[in-house]
């Protein structure tokens, strides 16, 4: 088995005395989708930001290709991993095409033709090519999410990290985005996605990291984590897990409180 692309070792994070992460260790390998799930406040976003190098851990360390994240220069890191945050805040009214082209910043040595080709391909994949001349602030929330996702695709990195990539998306585009992430992994990329929809994790993730109060409650293949007893305990609400009627995966449903 090949060495993991990304490794977190004993990650801890404290902010103003609050413990957001406590001793989290995990590995991310090329060719897999790792879904990060858990209730609100469990530490999912904090973990992703530390793994991406956006936030320095209070304790522990993160290795990318066997090298500590702190030793990467920003542009060098941007060539190895792309990050989609929960929200993309832009101060100026950029055109959609310009927003997507921002993903080409780490590849400044490439030609303008190659950058445009990558941006157009990413926009087509994310179903936003028709929005290319539009101003980003005039788009709907779902359209903005897909444009930001296209920017990540245009970055062309071996590691893709996303925080709630299906936020504001309709059913068709949820499936589109998750299908693209699955394809990236099948082509050899490593994908880490924070997800609130447990059924998207069930359908598309190879493994699931279940977070609870800043710790890993479980990290294992998807079927081993998405169990009714474990989910009910972590989410503090009854959960029912049954076979999906059309797919070879679990179907997670909220149960009825007594």
């Amino acid at each position: 088995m090949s060495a993991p692309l990304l490794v977190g070792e004993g990650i801890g994070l404290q902010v103003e005395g609050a413990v957001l992460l406590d001793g989290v260790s995990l590995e991310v390998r090329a060719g897999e989708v790792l879904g990060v799930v858990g209730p609100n406040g469990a530490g999912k976003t904090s973990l992703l930001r530390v793994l991406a190098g956006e936030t320095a851990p209070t304790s522990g360390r993160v290795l990318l290709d066997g090298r500590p994240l702190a030793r990467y220069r920003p542009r060098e890191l941007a060539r190895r991993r792309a990050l989609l945050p929960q929200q993309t805040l832009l101060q100026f009214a950029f055109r959609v095409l310009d927003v997507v082209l921002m993903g080409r910043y780490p590849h400044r040595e490439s030609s303008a033709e190659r950058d445009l080709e990558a941006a157009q391909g990413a926009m087509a994949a994310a179903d936003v090519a028709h929005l290319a001349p539009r101003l980003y602030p005039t788009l709907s929330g779902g359209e903005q999410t897909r444009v930001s996702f296209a920017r990540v695709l245009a970055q062309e990195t071996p590691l893709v990290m996303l925080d709630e990539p299906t936020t504001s998306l309709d059913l068709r585009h949820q499936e589109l985005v998750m299908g693209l992430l699955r394809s990236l992994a099948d082509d050899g990329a490593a994908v880490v996605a924070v997800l609130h929809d447990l059924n998207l994790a069930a359908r598309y993730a190879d493994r699931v990291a279940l977070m609870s109060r800043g710790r890993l409650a479980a990290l294992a293949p998807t079927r081993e984590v998405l169990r009714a007893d474990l989910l009910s305990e972590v989410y503090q609400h009854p959960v029912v897990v049954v076979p999906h009627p059309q797919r070879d995966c679990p179907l997670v449903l909220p149960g009825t409180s007594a």
Side-chain angles (χ1 to χ4, degrees), residues 31-53:
E32 76 165 352
V33 175
L34 174 64
V36 182
V37 304
N40 294 338
K44 302 182 298 296
T45 293
S46 295
L47 177 60
L48 192 74
R49 288 180 59 83
V50 170
L51 292 175

Side-chain angles (χ1 to χ4, degrees), residues 48-185:
L48 192 74
R49 288 180 59 83
V50 170
L51 292 175
E54 293 289 298
T55 300
T58 306
S59 59
R61 63 176 185 167
V62 180
L63 305 175
L64 177 59
D65 291 325
R67 179 179 167 193
L69 284 184
R71 296 184 183 175
Y72 282 84
R73 294 181 178 180
R75 184 185 173 205
E76 184 183 14
L77 183 59
R79 293 172 69 98
R80 299 298 299 158
R81 69 96 179 97
L83 173 66
L84 177 66
Q86 283 188 28
Q87 292 182 319
T88 300
L89 301 177
L90 296 176
Q91 299 294 326
F92 301 99
F94 292 105
R95 294 181 307 156
V96 164
L97 176 59
D98 295 326
V99 172
V100 178
L101 281 170
M102 291 176 186
R104 299 299 300 166
Y105 166 77
H107 307 281
R108 287 189 303 230
E109 74 284 355
S110 66
S111 66
E113 291 78 9
R114 175 69 188 95
D115 289 342
L116 183 59
E117 177 186 18
Q120 289 176 332
M123 288 190 296
D127 191 26
V128 293
H130 60 292
L131 301 175
R134 291 273 303 277
L135 298 180
Y136 184 85
T138 69
L139 304 179
S140 71
E143 289 170 334
Q144 289 183 353
T145 295
R146 291 186 350 253
V147 170
S148 297
F149 179 61
R151 174 187 55 76
V152 166
L153 294 179
Q155 199 167 328
E156 295 183 326
T157 59
L159 173 61
V160 180
M161 314 181 78
L162 314 100
D163 195 354
E164 299 183 31
T166 58
T167 297
S168 304
L169 298 187
D170 57 44
L171 182 62
R172 180 171 76 89
H173 288 108
Q174 288 181 24
E175 292 292 320
L176 172 70
V177 166
M178 294 305 300
L180 287 170
L181 295 179
R182 179 70 263 168
S183 295
L184 287 176

